[in-house]
Amino acid sequence: MNEYNVLDIISKKRDGKILSKEEIRFFMEGVSSENIPDYQISALLMAVYINGMTDDELFEFTMAMTESGEKLDLSGIKGFKADKHSTGGVGDKTTLVVAPIVAACGVKVAKMSGRGLGHTGGTVDKLEAIPGMRTSPETDNFIDIVNRVGMCVIGQTGRLAPADKKLYAIRDVTATVSSIPLIASSIMSKKIAAGSDSILLDVKVGSGAFMKDVQTAELLAEKMICIGNRAGIKTAAVLSDMNEPLGYKIGNSLEVEEAISTLKCEGPEDLTNLALYLASNMLYMSQVGTIEECGDKAAQALGSGAALEVFRNFIDAQGGDTAVIEHPEIFPIAKFALDVFASESGYIEKTDTEKIGNVSVELGAGRLRKEDKIDISAGIVLTKKTGDFVESGERIATLYTNDEHKLISAEKLFMDALSFSDNKPEKKNIIIKTIGLFE
Ligand code: URA
């Protein structure tokens, strides 16, 4: 590998030329072995940020990241293994509803999930709000739970795509996070290493998402689909709306409560519709039937209580207290609560969802840096959402925290996130489009 020179690789990309597979492998090897210093890694990342990558470069870059660590061997799991991935949103507890529905229909879900960072939450933090829940079982135990229960969700180990961890830390401090090829390769390197047979990407679009507009979200989805399919994993994407929080509850234990209500068929309409749509498409990708049959099966699994039973068994298998299903009051309650009231009458016209995510971080439910501790009982319960009419003085939300000093700043930030109008805004469909399945 000594015939390559990192300086030449950086200048080639700086000048908009195409890197060869060997040059990309040489670079990633240097990242993993720490032979390339951070300042040269930063320079290459900035060159990619500015000049992009061809599909071939992107594939090689992703595979080199995947191969920088171990690949999970899921061959011990009987049957088709379907995975999903959300690009991150506010109030997004979809996995907790989708995975039990899919598993109740006989398709295995062996899922590695992430933690929350910034305004977006993470499934592992939410699961850990359940007393006793273990999210880092050994691989044998993980496989055994998937075979017995149909699903298991665990935290991502540092052994998966370690080069991504290094690159992400540098991107974070060099203004190179928001690059489509860098996001696509970062997500897909970990998904490929996680070993499932299919991946359905839930690409969030809107004020609470990484991707603020449909066009950019579509481009990201297409790049990820291209990488996944080329790596031999059936990959498709659903673009879903994130211009308001999903459901009414934001925060870790609050979101588990809302997911449980949804599994009892008492959940909010947007979450229920999105979960059923994603589950139907995951079943379709697993060749369970036509898309209509898969839709019927998913609805039946939810309506009959079969998905709730899978969720109960899953909590039990991972050491969690299943009593939370019947008695959500078991969840610790935050010491301080503040009702927020509308300052004027009118329709809630827009919700700046990233700001709402930041309110939940301010209250303690999320983290700004990876090492920050979170407060599982902190969060927000919305009473009104975009499109609802409110009278001046009417309650629109309640904020929960264990740090009383945070309430005033959080309330101000919350009010700044909303805008009011005399005209009722058009209701948006939660599903924007599906890419890579039916065309
Ligand atoms: N999630 C990831 O894993 N990587 C990114 O670059 C962005 C979101």
Side-chain angles (χ1 to χ4, degrees), residues 337-348:
L338 178 76
D339 287 334
V340 181
F341 301 101
S343 52
E344 55 190 289
S345 297
Y347 290 98
I348 301 181

Side-chain angles (χ1 to χ4, degrees), residues 97-110:
V97 184
V98 172
I101 297 176
V102 170
C105 296
V107 171
K108 301 292 193 315
V109 183

Side-chain angles (χ1 to χ4, degrees), residues 138-215:
E138 292 302 320
T139 309
D140 285 357
N141 191 213
F142 174 60
I143 289 175
D144 175 55
I145 295 173
V146 178
N147 276 327
R148 280 190 294 117
V149 176
M151 66 172 284
C152 187
V153 183
I154 61 174
Q156 207 155 276
T157 78
R159 301 189 297 275
L160 237 61
D164 170 62
K165 199 170 171 194
K166 171 97 188 166
L167 293 181
Y168 194 90
I170 295 176
R171 286 167 59 205
D172 208 19
V173 291
T174 54
T176 50
V177 168
S178 58
S179 141
I180 289 195
L182 295 179
I183 296 174
S185 55
S186 166
I187 293 176
M188 292 308 290
S189 63
K190 291 171 287 198
K191 288 279 119 187
I192 295 167
S196 282
D197 301 315
S198 72
I199 303 166
L200 182 61
L201 301 157
D202 178 9
V203 180
K204 304 284 186 197
V205 191
S207 63
F210 257 118
M211 301 294 134
K212 305 291 180 202
D213 63 89
V214 174
Q215 244 179 343

Side-chain angles (χ1 to χ4, degrees), residues 363-388:
L363 293 166
R367 51 174 84 73
L368 286 176
R369 283 159 308 170
K370 281 203 172 107
E371 47 295 347
D372 290 347
K373 287 236 169 320
I374 55 162
D375 175 354
I376 56 157
S377 60
I380 307 166
V381 176
L382 304 170
T383 338
K384 301 282 181 187
K385 297 225 312 181
T386 308
D388 287 341

Side-chain angles (χ1 to χ4, degrees), residues 22-245:
E22 291 71 26
E23 286 166 327
I24 290 171
R25 296 275 163 166
F26 172 82
F27 172 77
M28 209 58 82
E29 169 57 33
V31 171
S32 296
S33 60
E34 306 204 336
N35 281 337
I36 302 181
D38 288 2
Y39 51 82
Q40 286 185 314
I41 298 175
S42 312
L44 194 275
L45 291 172
M46 186 57 85
V48 170
Y49 186 96
I50 292 167
N51 289 323
M53 282 198 264
T54 64
D55 286 351
D56 285 343
E57 284 178 298
L58 182 54
F59 178 70
E60 294 306 338
F61 195 80
T62 309
M63 293 314 288
M65 273 157 91
T66 301
E67 287 157 25
S68 71
E70 63 182 44
K71 187 162 185 242
L72 215 59
D73 177 6
L74 300 183
S75 58
I77 297 175
K78 299 179 210 85
F80 195 91
K81 299 163 285 290
D83 196 359
K84 78 167 269 285
H85 177 83
S86 157
T87 56
V90 178
D92 183 10
K93 66 283 285 176
T94 330
T95 291
L96 304 182
V97 184
V98 172
I101 297 176
V102 170
C105 296
V107 171
K108 301 292 193 315
V109 183
K111 184 158 170 46
M112 283 202 166
S113 286
R115 295 191 181 275
L117 188 61
H119 72 280
T120 65
T123 304
V124 174
D125 293 327
K126 293 168 202 183
L127 284 174
E128 287 179 357
I130 300 171
M133 197 75 177
R134 290 188 300 266
T135 57
S136 46
E138 292 302 320
T139 309
D140 285 357
N141 191 213
F142 174 60
I143 289 175
D144 175 55
I145 295 173
V146 178
N147 276 327
R148 280 190 294 117
V149 176
M151 66 172 284
C152 187
V153 183
I154 61 174
Q156 207 155 276
T157 78
R159 301 189 297 275
L160 237 61
D164 170 62
K165 199 170 171 194
K166 171 97 188 166
L167 293 181
Y168 194 90
I170 295 176
R171 286 167 59 205
D172 208 19
V173 291
T174 54
T176 50
V177 168
S178 58
S179 141
I180 289 195
L182 295 179
I183 296 174
S185 55
S186 166
I187 293 176
M188 292 308 290
S189 63
K190 291 171 287 198
K191 288 279 119 187
I192 295 167
S196 282
D197 301 315
S198 72
I199 303 166
L200 182 61
L201 301 157
D202 178 9
V203 180
K204 304 284 186 197
V205 191
S207 63
F210 257 118
M211 301 294 134
K212 305 291 180 202
D213 63 89
V214 174
Q215 244 179 343
T216 341
E218 215 168 325
L219 194 57
L220 175 67
E222 278 162 6
K223 295 293 170 200
M224 292 195 287
I225 291 170
C226 178
I227 297 167
N229 285 334
R230 213 162 144 178
I233 300 168
K234 220 186 238 188
T235 311
V238 170
L239 264 52
S240 71
D241 187 72
M242 188 33 76
N243 281 303
E244 62 177 335

